[in-house]
Amino acid sequence: MNLDELYQEVILDHYKRPRGAGLREPYEGESHQVNPTCGDEITLRVHVEGDKVADVSYDNVGCSISKASASVMYELVNGATVDDALAKLAEFTELMNSKGQSEGDEESLEDAVAFAGVSKYPMRVKCALLGWKAFQDALIRAEASSGRTNA
Ligand code: ZN
């Protein structure tokens, strides 16, 4: 099995068995994001406790890339500190903007490096980033509602 096939498997696995899927309470921030070019949609909630992302829950419809990416994101940010989660967001966004030039750091991005090849296709990049965009937006709303200003 070559790397492309392996990555294909990783994406399919997250698509078929999405981690952390479903909307849960409590939450402080919620975001709804749409990717009209593909028809992907996600509603995502963030529950913050202190400086930790205590829960990320989501409900989404769309293509395998967008759905798998949300599942991979859940694994990376759920339970992390807000700062670490934002660092992962920045790192994944950079990978997606690399136009196929970056392989990503597996140590830090784990299963998310499987999306490295997606960065060659601008239309698909929007699919892969949709869940992360929702996470960022929900986090800003959560921080705003809790009075923190450093989001
Ligand atoms: Zn899509």
Side-chain angles (χ1 to χ4, degrees):
M1 193 184 270
N2 68 31
L3 197 61
D4 277 351
E5 284 167 344
L6 180 70
Y7 282 177
Q8 210 51 48
E9 284 294 311
V10 169
I11 290 173
L12 259 184
D13 182 59
H14 278 276
Y15 173 59
K16 286 183 189 154
R17 297 188 301 120
R19 324 298 199 259
L23 291 170
R24 290 179 290 276
E25 308 215 357
Y27 66 97
E28 294 76 37
E30 183 178 80
S31 176
H32 181 70
Q33 298 287 327
V34 179
N35 176 19
T37 53
C38 182
D40 310 316
E41 281 189 47
I42 187 167
T43 300
L44 182 144
R45 293 173 175 176
V46 172
H47 172 41
V48 178
E49 263 174 18
D51 66 347
K52 273 223 155 104
V53 179
D55 192 26
V56 174
S57 64
Y58 60 91
D59 184 32
N60 55 1
V61 291
C63 67
S64 56
I65 301 276
S66 72
K67 296 197 77 168
S69 182
S71 170
V72 168
M73 178 196 66
Y74 169 84
E75 282 195 329
L76 285 174
V77 302
N78 196 54
T81 64
V82 170
D83 288 348
D84 281 351
L86 288 172
K88 305 275 186 201
L89 165 75
E91 200 176 336
F92 186 71
T93 303
E94 196 181 312
L95 177 63
M96 285 300 99
N97 288 331
S98 74
K99 300 185 169 67
Q101 298 306 301
S102 171
E103 290 170 1
D105 179 359
E106 192 171 1
E107 195 97 332
S108 152
L109 286 178
E110 302 175 30
D111 280 356
V113 295
F115 293 88
V118 172
S119 70
K120 280 180 269 186
Y121 311 99
M123 299 288 272
R124 311 260 78 182
V125 167
K126 287 185 186 157
C127 302
L129 285 175
L130 190 71
W132 289 87
K133 231 169 88 180
F135 172 66
Q136 184 177 33
D137 186 44
L139 197 58
I140 289 168
R141 290 166 192 269
E143 303 267 310
S145 78
S146 73
R148 275 182 60 164
T149 51
N150 62 345

